[in-house]
Amino acid sequence: MAASRVYVYGIVHAGRALPPDARGVGRPPAPVRLLPAGALAAVVSDVPDDLRARRRDLMAHQDLLMRLGTDAPVLPMRFGMVAEDARTVEEAVAAATAGHLAVLERLRGRTELNLKATPAQSEIEALVRADAGVRRLMTQVRRTPSYEGNVRLGQAVAEGLARRAAEAVEEVLPALTALADDFVRGPDVPGCVLNGSFLVPKAVSERFRAEVERFAAAHAERVELRLTGPLPCYSFVPQDGAEPAPPGRPSAQYAVTGS
């Protein structure tokens, strides 16, 4: 029956106490409860009849996970995780207890910070000074204007800005990965030369943020950096049955893409 379905927010250690006012998705926001499964418990609620990926529900899902992760680790589920009934959740959680416990230990005292890097679009003059090829194309277009020439120049400028931004990111990544316990590259984002997430000990999160700000200020003519977080540690939860890596062991080497 549809009424028996449950919405799953995440997995925590058994014995956790939920905030008394904990609410989840839906309008009105659904009361949240714990569904025990041995050494673990799933954080669940009823499923709203009109569940959609609306901003209010996306934010309610994330805000609850952030509250849960303030004092103890939580293994986050992506928005929209719905099970047919409570027994399905209990059996699934119990069957993967060892792996879930390992992930929770890995996430203890850590948070996710996401870094996006984009080319500094306002610094074309700096690119022209540094790139002889762009200067040559610009001179040709000024002498002999044409549509094709303008297209080639535009492409060269875009590629040059992206290249300078990617080079700048390569310079800062070693310092940032040294402060983090793990780093993974996320899906490509249009306009970005990097979309990466860091698993950062909460004790050094402000130092991490300061390092990003320092580098961004020093290299503003090449790259713009946007740091988002703290976030639920979505990027460091194994997918498709993969085994979790222990704390400190990278699950992926950093990579930078550019045009």
PDB file of all heavy atoms in Angstrom, residues 113 115 168-183 194 196 198-201 204 207-215 225 227 254:
ATOM      1  N   LEU A 113      33.240  19.729   1.798  1.00  0.00           N
ATOM      2  CA  LEU A 113      33.326  21.073   1.231  1.00  0.00           C
ATOM      3  C   LEU A 113      33.498  20.927  -0.271  1.00  0.00           C
ATOM      4  O   LEU A 113      34.345  20.158  -0.730  1.00  0.00           O
ATOM      5  CB  LEU A 113      34.502  21.857   1.834  1.00  0.00           C
ATOM      6  CG  LEU A 113      34.437  22.143   3.333  1.00  0.00           C
ATOM      7  CD1 LEU A 113      35.729  22.788   3.820  1.00  0.00           C
ATOM      8  CD2 LEU A 113      33.247  23.030   3.660  1.00  0.00           C
ATOM      9  N   LEU A 115      34.318  22.642  -3.979  1.00  0.00           N
ATOM     10  CA  LEU A 115      35.025  23.758  -4.609  1.00  0.00           C
ATOM     11  C   LEU A 115      34.769  23.748  -6.105  1.00  0.00           C
ATOM     12  O   LEU A 115      34.995  22.738  -6.779  1.00  0.00           O
ATOM     13  CB  LEU A 115      36.525  23.653  -4.348  1.00  0.00           C
ATOM     14  CG  LEU A 115      37.381  24.798  -4.912  1.00  0.00           C
ATOM     15  CD1 LEU A 115      37.071  26.109  -4.189  1.00  0.00           C
ATOM     16  CD2 LEU A 115      38.872  24.469  -4.815  1.00  0.00           C
ATOM     17  N   ALA A 168      46.049  27.423 -12.563  1.00  0.00           N
ATOM     18  CA  ALA A 168      45.976  27.964 -11.208  1.00  0.00           C
ATOM     19  C   ALA A 168      45.438  26.923 -10.234  1.00  0.00           C
ATOM     20  O   ALA A 168      45.937  26.769  -9.116  1.00  0.00           O
ATOM     21  CB  ALA A 168      45.095  29.218 -11.188  1.00  0.00           C
ATOM     22  N   VAL A 169      44.404  26.183 -10.656  1.00  0.00           N
ATOM     23  CA  VAL A 169      43.826  25.150  -9.783  1.00  0.00           C
ATOM     24  C   VAL A 169      44.855  24.078  -9.470  1.00  0.00           C
ATOM     25  O   VAL A 169      44.947  23.594  -8.332  1.00  0.00           O
ATOM     26  CB  VAL A 169      42.581  24.544 -10.452  1.00  0.00           C
ATOM     27  CG1 VAL A 169      42.141  23.286  -9.728  1.00  0.00           C
ATOM     28  CG2 VAL A 169      41.441  25.561 -10.459  1.00  0.00           C
ATOM     29  N   GLU A 170      45.660  23.689 -10.455  1.00  0.00           N
ATOM     30  CA  GLU A 170      46.686  22.688 -10.217  1.00  0.00           C
ATOM     31  C   GLU A 170      47.671  23.144  -9.154  1.00  0.00           C
ATOM     32  O   GLU A 170      48.228  22.323  -8.410  1.00  0.00           O
ATOM     33  CB  GLU A 170      47.428  22.372 -11.515  1.00  0.00           C
ATOM     34  CG  GLU A 170      46.594  21.577 -12.519  1.00  0.00           C
ATOM     35  CD  GLU A 170      47.361  21.292 -13.803  1.00  0.00           C
ATOM     36  OE1 GLU A 170      48.379  21.974 -14.040  1.00  0.00           O
ATOM     37  OE2 GLU A 170      46.940  20.397 -14.547  1.00  0.00           O
ATOM     38  N   GLU A 171      47.873  24.454  -9.055  1.00  0.00           N
ATOM     39  CA  GLU A 171      48.806  24.988  -8.049  1.00  0.00           C
ATOM     40  C   GLU A 171      48.233  24.892  -6.638  1.00  0.00           C
ATOM     41  O   GLU A 171      48.953  24.646  -5.677  1.00  0.00           O
ATOM     42  CB  GLU A 171      49.142  26.439  -8.378  1.00  0.00           C
ATOM     43  CG  GLU A 171      49.962  26.613  -9.643  1.00  0.00           C
ATOM     44  CD  GLU A 171      50.193  28.092  -9.968  1.00  0.00           C
ATOM     45  OE1 GLU A 171      50.055  28.923  -9.044  1.00  0.00           O
ATOM     46  OE2 GLU A 171      50.506  28.388 -11.128  1.00  0.00           O
ATOM     47  N   VAL A 172      46.923  25.095  -6.492  1.00  0.00           N
ATOM     48  CA  VAL A 172      46.338  25.125  -5.154  1.00  0.00           C
ATOM     49  C   VAL A 172      45.898  23.748  -4.664  1.00  0.00           C
ATOM     50  O   VAL A 172      45.828  23.515  -3.455  1.00  0.00           O
ATOM     51  CB  VAL A 172      45.143  26.111  -5.093  1.00  0.00           C
ATOM     52  CG1 VAL A 172      43.931  25.556  -5.817  1.00  0.00           C
ATOM     53  CG2 VAL A 172      44.791  26.459  -3.651  1.00  0.00           C
ATOM     54  N   LEU A 173      45.620  22.816  -5.572  1.00  0.00           N
ATOM     55  CA  LEU A 173      45.105  21.517  -5.146  1.00  0.00           C
ATOM     56  C   LEU A 173      46.019  20.777  -4.169  1.00  0.00           C
ATOM     57  O   LEU A 173      45.520  20.195  -3.194  1.00  0.00           O
ATOM     58  CB  LEU A 173      44.810  20.640  -6.351  1.00  0.00           C
ATOM     59  CG  LEU A 173      43.423  20.835  -6.975  1.00  0.00           C
ATOM     60  CD1 LEU A 173      43.278  19.969  -8.218  1.00  0.00           C
ATOM     61  CD2 LEU A 173      42.327  20.503  -5.983  1.00  0.00           C
ATOM     62  N   PRO A 174      47.332  20.757  -4.364  1.00  0.00           N
ATOM     63  CA  PRO A 174      48.161  20.041  -3.384  1.00  0.00           C
ATOM     64  C   PRO A 174      48.007  20.571  -1.956  1.00  0.00           C
ATOM     65  O   PRO A 174      47.954  19.785  -1.009  1.00  0.00           O
ATOM     66  CB  PRO A 174      49.585  20.257  -3.922  1.00  0.00           C
ATOM     67  CG  PRO A 174      49.404  20.440  -5.388  1.00  0.00           C
ATOM     68  CD  PRO A 174      48.123  21.212  -5.524  1.00  0.00           C
ATOM     69  N   ALA A 175      47.915  21.885  -1.806  1.00  0.00           N
ATOM     70  CA  ALA A 175      47.753  22.457  -0.463  1.00  0.00           C
ATOM     71  C   ALA A 175      46.405  22.089   0.132  1.00  0.00           C
ATOM     72  O   ALA A 175      46.293  21.818   1.337  1.00  0.00           O
ATOM     73  CB  ALA A 175      47.914  23.980  -0.518  1.00  0.00           C
ATOM     74  N   LEU A 176      45.370  22.059  -0.698  1.00  0.00           N
ATOM     75  CA  LEU A 176      44.033  21.735  -0.191  1.00  0.00           C
ATOM     76  C   LEU A 176      43.897  20.249   0.115  1.00  0.00           C
ATOM     77  O   LEU A 176      43.304  19.873   1.131  1.00  0.00           O
ATOM     78  CB  LEU A 176      42.976  22.169  -1.207  1.00  0.00           C
ATOM     79  CG  LEU A 176      42.886  23.675  -1.480  1.00  0.00           C
ATOM     80  CD1 LEU A 176      41.787  23.965  -2.490  1.00  0.00           C
ATOM     81  CD2 LEU A 176      42.661  24.458  -0.190  1.00  0.00           C
ATOM     82  N   THR A 177      44.426  19.396  -0.758  1.00  0.00           N
ATOM     83  CA  THR A 177      44.332  17.964  -0.501  1.00  0.00           C
ATOM     84  C   THR A 177      45.155  17.571   0.722  1.00  0.00           C
ATOM     85  O   THR A 177      44.826  16.586   1.400  1.00  0.00           O
ATOM     86  CB  THR A 177      44.782  17.143  -1.717  1.00  0.00           C
ATOM     87  OG1 THR A 177      46.090  17.558  -2.130  1.00  0.00           O
ATOM     88  CG2 THR A 177      43.820  17.332  -2.881  1.00  0.00           C
ATOM     89  N   ALA A 178      46.197  18.336   1.033  1.00  0.00           N
ATOM     90  CA  ALA A 178      46.987  18.058   2.237  1.00  0.00           C
ATOM     91  C   ALA A 178      46.177  18.308   3.511  1.00  0.00           C
ATOM     92  O   ALA A 178      46.437  17.695   4.548  1.00  0.00           O
ATOM     93  CB  ALA A 178      48.252  18.911   2.248  1.00  0.00           C
ATOM     94  N   LEU A 179      45.190  19.207   3.431  1.00  0.00           N
ATOM     95  CA  LEU A 179      44.349  19.506   4.584  1.00  0.00           C
ATOM     96  C   LEU A 179      43.151  18.570   4.683  1.00  0.00           C
ATOM     97  O   LEU A 179      42.484  18.527   5.722  1.00  0.00           O
ATOM     98  CB  LEU A 179      43.852  20.953   4.515  1.00  0.00           C
ATOM     99  CG  LEU A 179      44.907  22.049   4.664  1.00  0.00           C
ATOM    100  CD1 LEU A 179      44.278  23.417   4.385  1.00  0.00           C
ATOM    101  CD2 LEU A 179      45.523  22.017   6.060  1.00  0.00           C
ATOM    102  N   ALA A 180      42.853  17.858   3.615  1.00  0.00           N
ATOM    103  CA  ALA A 180      41.668  17.002   3.556  1.00  0.00           C
ATOM    104  C   ALA A 180      42.055  15.536   3.709  1.00  0.00           C
ATOM    105  O   ALA A 180      43.202  15.148   3.481  1.00  0.00           O
ATOM    106  CB  ALA A 180      40.934  17.210   2.237  1.00  0.00           C
ATOM    107  N   ASP A 181      41.083  14.726   4.091  1.00  0.00           N
ATOM    108  CA  ASP A 181      41.291  13.279   4.181  1.00  0.00           C
ATOM    109  C   ASP A 181      40.976  12.580   2.870  1.00  0.00           C
ATOM    110  O   ASP A 181      41.354  11.426   2.678  1.00  0.00           O
ATOM    111  CB  ASP A 181      40.420  12.686   5.287  1.00  0.00           C
ATOM    112  CG  ASP A 181      40.944  13.025   6.673  1.00  0.00           C
ATOM    113  OD1 ASP A 181      42.173  13.185   6.819  1.00  0.00           O
ATOM    114  OD2 ASP A 181      40.140  13.143   7.602  1.00  0.00           O
ATOM    115  N   ASP A 182      40.282  13.262   1.987  1.00  0.00           N
ATOM    116  CA  ASP A 182      39.954  12.660   0.700  1.00  0.00           C
ATOM    117  C   ASP A 182      39.506  13.764  -0.255  1.00  0.00           C
ATOM    118  O   ASP A 182      39.126  14.857   0.171  1.00  0.00           O
ATOM    119  CB  ASP A 182      38.845  11.620   0.852  1.00  0.00           C
ATOM    120  CG  ASP A 182      38.840  10.595  -0.274  1.00  0.00           C
ATOM    121  OD1 ASP A 182      39.593  10.773  -1.248  1.00  0.00           O
ATOM    122  OD2 ASP A 182      38.080   9.617  -0.183  1.00  0.00           O
ATOM    123  N   PHE A 183      39.584  13.449  -1.529  1.00  0.00           N
ATOM    124  CA  PHE A 183      39.156  14.385  -2.582  1.00  0.00           C
ATOM    125  C   PHE A 183      38.580  13.577  -3.722  1.00  0.00           C
ATOM    126  O   PHE A 183      39.145  12.551  -4.112  1.00  0.00           O
ATOM    127  CB  PHE A 183      40.340  15.216  -3.079  1.00  0.00           C
ATOM    128  CG  PHE A 183      40.012  16.036  -4.302  1.00  0.00           C
ATOM    129  CD1 PHE A 183      39.382  17.262  -4.179  1.00  0.00           C
ATOM    130  CD2 PHE A 183      40.317  15.571  -5.569  1.00  0.00           C
ATOM    131  CE1 PHE A 183      39.053  18.004  -5.311  1.00  0.00           C
ATOM    132  CE2 PHE A 183      40.002  16.310  -6.701  1.00  0.00           C
ATOM    133  CZ  PHE A 183      39.362  17.534  -6.559  1.00  0.00           C
ATOM    134  N   LEU A 194      36.971  23.044 -12.612  1.00  0.00           N
ATOM    135  CA  LEU A 194      37.020  22.076 -11.519  1.00  0.00           C
ATOM    136  C   LEU A 194      35.704  22.100 -10.762  1.00  0.00           C
ATOM    137  O   LEU A 194      35.173  23.171 -10.449  1.00  0.00           O
ATOM    138  CB  LEU A 194      38.160  22.401 -10.543  1.00  0.00           C
ATOM    139  CG  LEU A 194      38.212  21.485  -9.301  1.00  0.00           C
ATOM    140  CD1 LEU A 194      38.679  20.089  -9.694  1.00  0.00           C
ATOM    141  CD2 LEU A 194      39.096  22.053  -8.216  1.00  0.00           C
ATOM    142  N   GLY A 196      35.040  19.904  -7.481  1.00  0.00           N
ATOM    143  CA  GLY A 196      35.610  18.876  -6.623  1.00  0.00           C
ATOM    144  C   GLY A 196      35.117  18.980  -5.205  1.00  0.00           C
ATOM    145  O   GLY A 196      34.781  20.075  -4.729  1.00  0.00           O
ATOM    146  N   PHE A 198      35.859  17.822  -1.092  1.00  0.00           N
ATOM    147  CA  PHE A 198      36.887  17.454  -0.140  1.00  0.00           C
ATOM    148  C   PHE A 198      36.240  16.946   1.143  1.00  0.00           C
ATOM    149  O   PHE A 198      35.258  17.525   1.616  1.00  0.00           O
ATOM    150  CB  PHE A 198      37.764  18.666   0.201  1.00  0.00           C
ATOM    151  CG  PHE A 198      38.505  19.248  -0.967  1.00  0.00           C
ATOM    152  CD1 PHE A 198      37.859  20.094  -1.867  1.00  0.00           C
ATOM    153  CD2 PHE A 198      39.844  18.958  -1.179  1.00  0.00           C
ATOM    154  CE1 PHE A 198      38.537  20.646  -2.948  1.00  0.00           C
ATOM    155  CE2 PHE A 198      40.530  19.502  -2.264  1.00  0.00           C
ATOM    156  CZ  PHE A 198      39.874  20.346  -3.147  1.00  0.00           C
ATOM    157  N   LEU A 199      36.782  15.871   1.682  1.00  0.00           N
ATOM    158  CA  LEU A 199      36.365  15.372   2.987  1.00  0.00           C
ATOM    159  C   LEU A 199      37.324  15.973   4.009  1.00  0.00           C
ATOM    160  O   LEU A 199      38.492  15.570   4.095  1.00  0.00           O
ATOM    161  CB  LEU A 199      36.423  13.846   3.021  1.00  0.00           C
ATOM    162  CG  LEU A 199      35.912  13.175   4.299  1.00  0.00           C
ATOM    163  CD1 LEU A 199      34.419  13.446   4.492  1.00  0.00           C
ATOM    164  CD2 LEU A 199      36.175  11.679   4.261  1.00  0.00           C
ATOM    165  N   VAL A 200      36.833  16.937   4.757  1.00  0.00           N
ATOM    166  CA  VAL A 200      37.700  17.773   5.588  1.00  0.00           C
ATOM    167  C   VAL A 200      37.390  17.553   7.073  1.00  0.00           C
ATOM    168  O   VAL A 200      36.220  17.615   7.469  1.00  0.00           O
ATOM    169  CB  VAL A 200      37.500  19.264   5.241  1.00  0.00           C
ATOM    170  CG1 VAL A 200      38.400  20.147   6.096  1.00  0.00           C
ATOM    171  CG2 VAL A 200      37.789  19.502   3.762  1.00  0.00           C
ATOM    172  N   PRO A 201      38.401  17.300   7.900  1.00  0.00           N
ATOM    173  CA  PRO A 201      38.159  17.256   9.340  1.00  0.00           C
ATOM    174  C   PRO A 201      37.567  18.585   9.804  1.00  0.00           C
ATOM    175  O   PRO A 201      38.056  19.657   9.427  1.00  0.00           O
ATOM    176  CB  PRO A 201      39.551  17.027   9.931  1.00  0.00           C
ATOM    177  CG  PRO A 201      40.326  16.362   8.829  1.00  0.00           C
ATOM    178  CD  PRO A 201      39.801  16.980   7.563  1.00  0.00           C
ATOM    179  N   VAL A 204      39.799  21.455  11.019  1.00  0.00           N
ATOM    180  CA  VAL A 204      40.626  22.280  10.132  1.00  0.00           C
ATOM    181  C   VAL A 204      39.791  22.938   9.039  1.00  0.00           C
ATOM    182  O   VAL A 204      40.357  23.493   8.090  1.00  0.00           O
ATOM    183  CB  VAL A 204      41.773  21.455   9.495  1.00  0.00           C
ATOM    184  CG1 VAL A 204      42.660  20.848  10.563  1.00  0.00           C
ATOM    185  CG2 VAL A 204      41.222  20.382   8.564  1.00  0.00           C
ATOM    186  N   ARG A 207      40.602  26.601   8.556  1.00  0.00           N
ATOM    187  CA  ARG A 207      41.922  26.738   7.928  1.00  0.00           C
ATOM    188  C   ARG A 207      41.820  26.436   6.441  1.00  0.00           C
ATOM    189  O   ARG A 207      42.443  27.109   5.610  1.00  0.00           O
ATOM    190  CB  ARG A 207      42.900  25.784   8.605  1.00  0.00           C
ATOM    191  CG  ARG A 207      44.324  25.850   8.059  1.00  0.00           C
ATOM    192  CD  ARG A 207      45.212  24.876   8.805  1.00  0.00           C
ATOM    193  NE  ARG A 207      46.492  24.705   8.151  1.00  0.00           N
ATOM    194  CZ  ARG A 207      47.349  23.743   8.434  1.00  0.00           C
ATOM    195  NH1 ARG A 207      47.053  22.856   9.383  1.00  0.00           N
ATOM    196  NH2 ARG A 207      48.489  23.636   7.783  1.00  0.00           N
ATOM    197  N   PHE A 208      41.038  25.426   6.085  1.00  0.00           N
ATOM    198  CA  PHE A 208      40.822  25.086   4.674  1.00  0.00           C
ATOM    199  C   PHE A 208      40.176  26.262   3.958  1.00  0.00           C
ATOM    200  O   PHE A 208      40.607  26.674   2.869  1.00  0.00           O
ATOM    201  CB  PHE A 208      39.931  23.847   4.591  1.00  0.00           C
ATOM    202  CG  PHE A 208      39.757  23.295   3.200  1.00  0.00           C
ATOM    203  CD1 PHE A 208      40.513  22.223   2.775  1.00  0.00           C
ATOM    204  CD2 PHE A 208      38.817  23.838   2.329  1.00  0.00           C
ATOM    205  CE1 PHE A 208      40.346  21.701   1.492  1.00  0.00           C
ATOM    206  CE2 PHE A 208      38.649  23.326   1.058  1.00  0.00           C
ATOM    207  CZ  PHE A 208      39.420  22.265   0.633  1.00  0.00           C
ATOM    208  N   ARG A 209      39.140  26.827   4.568  1.00  0.00           N
ATOM    209  CA  ARG A 209      38.443  27.960   3.962  1.00  0.00           C
ATOM    210  C   ARG A 209      39.389  29.150   3.786  1.00  0.00           C
ATOM    211  O   ARG A 209      39.378  29.825   2.749  1.00  0.00           O
ATOM    212  CB  ARG A 209      37.254  28.347   4.835  1.00  0.00           C
ATOM    213  CG  ARG A 209      36.281  29.318   4.182  1.00  0.00           C
ATOM    214  CD  ARG A 209      35.100  29.592   5.110  1.00  0.00           C
ATOM    215  NE  ARG A 209      34.420  28.348   5.476  1.00  0.00           N
ATOM    216  CZ  ARG A 209      33.503  27.765   4.711  1.00  0.00           C
ATOM    217  NH1 ARG A 209      33.138  28.329   3.573  1.00  0.00           N
ATOM    218  NH2 ARG A 209      32.933  26.643   5.098  1.00  0.00           N
ATOM    219  N   ALA A 210      40.230  29.401   4.780  1.00  0.00           N
ATOM    220  CA  ALA A 210      41.172  30.513   4.702  1.00  0.00           C
ATOM    221  C   ALA A 210      42.181  30.308   3.582  1.00  0.00           C
ATOM    222  O   ALA A 210      42.579  31.264   2.896  1.00  0.00           O
ATOM    223  CB  ALA A 210      41.886  30.690   6.044  1.00  0.00           C
ATOM    224  N   GLU A 211      42.601  29.068   3.370  1.00  0.00           N
ATOM    225  CA  GLU A 211      43.550  28.773   2.295  1.00  0.00           C
ATOM    226  C   GLU A 211      42.925  29.035   0.931  1.00  0.00           C
ATOM    227  O   GLU A 211      43.560  29.595   0.030  1.00  0.00           O
ATOM    228  CB  GLU A 211      44.008  27.318   2.391  1.00  0.00           C
ATOM    229  CG  GLU A 211      45.001  26.893   1.318  1.00  0.00           C
ATOM    230  CD  GLU A 211      46.341  27.595   1.424  1.00  0.00           C
ATOM    231  OE1 GLU A 211      46.655  28.153   2.509  1.00  0.00           O
ATOM    232  OE2 GLU A 211      47.091  27.589   0.426  1.00  0.00           O
ATOM    233  N   VAL A 212      41.652  28.667   0.768  1.00  0.00           N
ATOM    234  CA  VAL A 212      40.949  28.943  -0.489  1.00  0.00           C
ATOM    235  C   VAL A 212      40.848  30.448  -0.710  1.00  0.00           C
ATOM    236  O   VAL A 212      41.104  30.944  -1.823  1.00  0.00           O
ATOM    237  CB  VAL A 212      39.551  28.294  -0.482  1.00  0.00           C
ATOM    238  CG1 VAL A 212      38.726  28.764  -1.683  1.00  0.00           C
ATOM    239  CG2 VAL A 212      39.666  26.773  -0.485  1.00  0.00           C
ATOM    240  N   GLU A 213      40.469  31.181   0.319  1.00  0.00           N
ATOM    241  CA  GLU A 213      40.326  32.630   0.194  1.00  0.00           C
ATOM    242  C   GLU A 213      41.664  33.294  -0.122  1.00  0.00           C
ATOM    243  O   GLU A 213      41.737  34.226  -0.942  1.00  0.00           O
ATOM    244  CB  GLU A 213      39.734  33.206   1.476  1.00  0.00           C
ATOM    245  CG  GLU A 213      38.285  32.776   1.714  1.00  0.00           C
ATOM    246  CD  GLU A 213      37.758  33.228   3.057  1.00  0.00           C
ATOM    247  OE1 GLU A 213      38.566  33.748   3.867  1.00  0.00           O
ATOM    248  OE2 GLU A 213      36.549  33.053   3.308  1.00  0.00           O
ATOM    249  N   ARG A 214      42.729  32.825   0.527  1.00  0.00           N
ATOM    250  CA  ARG A 214      44.055  33.402   0.281  1.00  0.00           C
ATOM    251  C   ARG A 214      44.475  33.187  -1.163  1.00  0.00           C
ATOM    252  O   ARG A 214      44.931  34.113  -1.844  1.00  0.00           O
ATOM    253  CB  ARG A 214      45.074  32.758   1.219  1.00  0.00           C
ATOM    254  CG  ARG A 214      46.500  33.325   1.081  1.00  0.00           C
ATOM    255  CD  ARG A 214      47.521  32.402   1.699  1.00  0.00           C
ATOM    256  NE  ARG A 214      47.621  31.138   0.976  1.00  0.00           N
ATOM    257  CZ  ARG A 214      48.266  31.002  -0.173  1.00  0.00           C
ATOM    258  NH1 ARG A 214      48.843  32.045  -0.771  1.00  0.00           N
ATOM    259  NH2 ARG A 214      48.322  29.824  -0.765  1.00  0.00           N
ATOM    260  N   PHE A 215      44.304  31.970  -1.664  1.00  0.00           N
ATOM    261  CA  PHE A 215      44.712  31.680  -3.035  1.00  0.00           C
ATOM    262  C   PHE A 215      43.849  32.432  -4.024  1.00  0.00           C
ATOM    263  O   PHE A 215      44.355  32.962  -5.027  1.00  0.00           O
ATOM    264  CB  PHE A 215      44.628  30.174  -3.293  1.00  0.00           C
ATOM    265  CG  PHE A 215      45.205  29.772  -4.618  1.00  0.00           C
ATOM    266  CD1 PHE A 215      46.554  29.476  -4.730  1.00  0.00           C
ATOM    267  CD2 PHE A 215      44.409  29.690  -5.751  1.00  0.00           C
ATOM    268  CE1 PHE A 215      47.098  29.120  -5.957  1.00  0.00           C
ATOM    269  CE2 PHE A 215      44.938  29.338  -6.975  1.00  0.00           C
ATOM    270  CZ  PHE A 215      46.292  29.050  -7.083  1.00  0.00           C
ATOM    271  N   LEU A 225      37.199  31.180  -7.440  1.00  0.00           N
ATOM    272  CA  LEU A 225      36.918  29.995  -6.647  1.00  0.00           C
ATOM    273  C   LEU A 225      35.657  30.212  -5.820  1.00  0.00           C
ATOM    274  O   LEU A 225      35.481  31.267  -5.218  1.00  0.00           O
ATOM    275  CB  LEU A 225      38.093  29.677  -5.717  1.00  0.00           C
ATOM    276  CG  LEU A 225      39.442  29.427  -6.390  1.00  0.00           C
ATOM    277  CD1 LEU A 225      40.517  29.163  -5.347  1.00  0.00           C
ATOM    278  CD2 LEU A 225      39.356  28.257  -7.370  1.00  0.00           C
ATOM    279  N   LEU A 227      33.622  28.230  -2.785  1.00  0.00           N
ATOM    280  CA  LEU A 227      33.607  27.136  -1.825  1.00  0.00           C
ATOM    281  C   LEU A 227      32.227  27.050  -1.187  1.00  0.00           C
ATOM    282  O   LEU A 227      31.704  28.044  -0.682  1.00  0.00           O
ATOM    283  CB  LEU A 227      34.671  27.359  -0.759  1.00  0.00           C
ATOM    284  CG  LEU A 227      34.908  26.205   0.224  1.00  0.00           C
ATOM    285  CD1 LEU A 227      35.504  25.004  -0.506  1.00  0.00           C
ATOM    286  CD2 LEU A 227      35.846  26.649   1.348  1.00  0.00           C
ATOM    287  N   TYR A 254      43.136  13.719  -7.764  1.00  0.00           N
ATOM    288  CA  TYR A 254      42.522  14.924  -8.271  1.00  0.00           C
ATOM    289  C   TYR A 254      42.802  15.074  -9.754  1.00  0.00           C
ATOM    290  O   TYR A 254      43.803  14.608 -10.275  1.00  0.00           O
ATOM    291  CB  TYR A 254      42.982  16.167  -7.499  1.00  0.00           C
ATOM    292  CG  TYR A 254      44.386  16.627  -7.741  1.00  0.00           C
ATOM    293  CD1 TYR A 254      44.722  17.299  -8.910  1.00  0.00           C
ATOM    294  CD2 TYR A 254      45.383  16.451  -6.785  1.00  0.00           C
ATOM    295  CE1 TYR A 254      46.003  17.774  -9.130  1.00  0.00           C
ATOM    296  CE2 TYR A 254      46.661  16.920  -7.003  1.00  0.00           C
ATOM    297  CZ  TYR A 254      46.977  17.569  -8.154  1.00  0.00           C
ATOM    298  OH  TYR A 254      48.240  18.036  -8.357  1.00  0.00           O
TER     299      TYR A 254
END
